[in-house]
Every structure is written in C-alpha cells, then in structure tokens.
Amino acid sequence: EPEVTQTPSHQVTQMGQEVILRCVPISNHLYFYWYRQILGQKVEFLVSFYNNEISEKSEIFDDQFSVERPDGSNFTLKIRSTKLEDSAMYFCASRVTEFNNEKLFFGSGTQLSVL
Amino acid sequence: AQSVAQPEDQVNVAEGNPLTVKCTYSVSGNPYLFWYVQYPNRGLQFLLKYITGDNLVKGSYGFEAEFNKSQTSFHLKKPSALVSDSALYFCAVRGLNSGGYQKVTFGTGTKLQVIP
C-alpha cells in the first residue's frame, strides 16, 4: 500500500529556534493535512491544504506556523520560533479527491522535542 | 461546528470477550465517520468508515462499527477481543467547513486494554 513519508522521525530543538517538518504525501493525493498529538493523547487538527493554499486552519495554527508545498512532492510545516508547548508528535496526512475514497493516509509522525 | 466525543478514556476487556468503544458525533449534513487505531510509537491506521448504506460497517482485524443516526453514535465493536487489539482508538467525523472544504475532526481517543 502507498505510504506517506515523514522526516525526520525525531527532531530536537532549542526554544526560539525554527524547525521544518517534512512530509511526502502519496503521489496522486491532492488534499494535505497536519495534525499533532501531545503525549499520545488527543489528535489535534492544525491545517488543511489544497490547490496550493490553506483551506482551513485551527486556532493552534497561529502566525508562528506556516505550510508550503515547494516542489510538487514535499509538504512542509514550519514553526518559526518554537515554544516548549510545541513539543508533540506531528502527523502529516493526505487523501485523494474522489468522493468515495475518503480514507486519510497518515505518516508515522515526527516527534518534536523543544528544550 | 462539528465535534466527536469519546466518553471513555480507557476500556478494559478480558481476552475473548466482546468489546465496545463508544463514539458520538455532531456534524451538519450527512456524516462521514471513521475509526483509526494507533499502536505505540506509530501513526494512525485506518480501520473502517461509514459513508452510506448499511448501518453495520465491517473493517480491518475483525472490527465493525454500528452507525445509529437517531443517537448520533458510531460505536466500534469486536465480538472477541485479542491481546494484540490493545491500542489507542480514535473516532473521526468528516464534514464541510464554511468554505466548502472537507475537514476531519478526531475524538480524544480511547485506550483499549485487553487483559489476557
């Protein structure tokens, strides 16, 4: 089965530093998402992206966050100035657009640790 | 606004017994409902979905879920639990936001512990 790939699997950074989390969605997918999960608990929606623009973002996704699809294959999440509370597992997901194929495919996540 | 509620933080069940993980939802229009499972240190894996049709949906690993429109519920079930079913289970609903875009909202998750 095709997979969503995320790199790195674990990122450690100092508070105030910029981080970029990378995702390669499945090649024929057109809708992309970032979610995060703190301490194995609630999965929180961050942002959805379609047709090279954000289609929705949550209250968590403030000005410190940005997403980009720089080259048609990668989908990145940037945090400009990390805070301690940004420590979480970040999941990328993608899906196809066909009406009857609604399944989200998730990557295995990037564990972000902000020190 | 759409929402999902999983009222139980943890469900304990003996191996071989039937299990139920509860989920209720709120969404405008027809609901698209999903269950995902997360094993330790892994991403979320799709289990099953309800789009339309039969209220009882069958999915991976012997799981099934029953859609109940009047109770706005989508409980996950399995007739006979296995120790390997121990994991974190997330219910999710897909709806449309105000801009007409699809949005998926997850519940808070229920930890299933199957006791040998």
Side-chain angles (χ1 to χ4, degrees):
Chain A
E1 189 171 65
E3 291 184 342
V4 174
T5 305
Q6 288 187 244
T7 56
S9 57
H10 196 180
Q11 175 86 47
V12 181
T13 189
Q14 296 290 327
M15 188 171 58
Q17 295 296 305
E18 174 184 286
V19 293
I20 297 176
L21 309 182
R22 303 182 191 280
C23 170
V24 179
I26 295 169
S27 61
N28 64 329
H29 288 192
L30 297 178
Y31 284 80
F32 312 114
Y33 304 82
W34 282 100
Y35 289 83
R36 76 176 186 187
Q37 184 183 35
I38 296 175
L39 295 176
Q41 298 299 318
K42 182 179 179 181
V43 178
E44 299 174 305
F45 168 77
L46 293 178
V47 66
S48 58
F49 190 87
Y50 169 70
N51 198 26
N52 287 320
E53 62 182 20
I54 291 173
S55 51
E56 181 159 8
K57 59 185 180 180
S58 71
E59 63 275 8
I60 301 169
F61 195 89
D62 60 22
D63 291 343
Q64 294 300 312
F65 290 86
S66 62
V67 289
E68 192 177 30
R69 188 156 163 80
D71 56 14
S73 62
N74 290 285
F75 179 52
T76 61
L77 174 69
K78 181 191 290 185
I79 309 175
R80 290 189 183 84
S81 179
T82 50
K83 303 186 285 289
L84 294 176
E85 54 265 37
D86 292 328
S87 294
M89 179 74 86
Y90 287 80
F91 290 106
C92 174
S94 69
R95 68 172 180 90
V96 296
T97 61
E98 286 84 355
F99 178 80
N100 289 321
N101 193 341
E102 302 284 350
K103 183 167 70 171
L104 272 175
F105 290 79
F106 284 86
S108 55
T110 294
Q111 178 67 53
L112 176 64
S113 299
V114 182
L115 306 178
Chain B
Q2 63 192 46
S3 64
V4 176
Q6 292 182 243
E8 302 153 318
D9 290 336
Q10 181 159 336
V11 170
N12 296 320
V13 63
E15 187 177 23
N17 282 2
L19 68 88
T20 299
V21 182
K22 296 179 180 177
C23 171
T24 58
Y25 66 90
S26 174
V27 67
S28 301
N30 294 323
Y32 298 159
L33 297 157
F34 306 82
W35 276 99
Y36 289 84
V37 60
Q38 185 183 31
Y39 297 102
N41 302 314
R42 301 290 298 277
L44 285 85
Q45 297 177 38
F46 171 80
L47 266 184
L48 51 79
K49 66 182 178 185
Y50 172 83
I51 304 296
T52 187
D54 290 340
N55 290 342
L56 187 64
V57 178
K58 295 188 184 298
S60 306
Y61 313 120
F63 283 93
E64 56 191 27
E66 186 170 12
F67 170 65
N68 187 316
K69 187 174 183 178
S70 63
Q71 296 183 4
T72 61
S73 67
F74 190 56
H75 300 330
L76 181 70
K77 300 181 179 184
K78 187 173 182 181
S80 178
L82 301 172
V83 173
S84 57
D85 293 330
S86 298
L88 197 54
Y89 290 82
F90 290 92
C91 182
V93 65
R94 167 170 287 144
L96 295 177
N97 67 11
S98 57
Y101 289 105
Q102 301 276 346
K103 175 185 175 181
V104 178
T105 301
F106 286 85
T108 50
T110 298
K111 182 178 180 181
L112 174 65
Q113 190 73 40
V114 181
I115 303 163

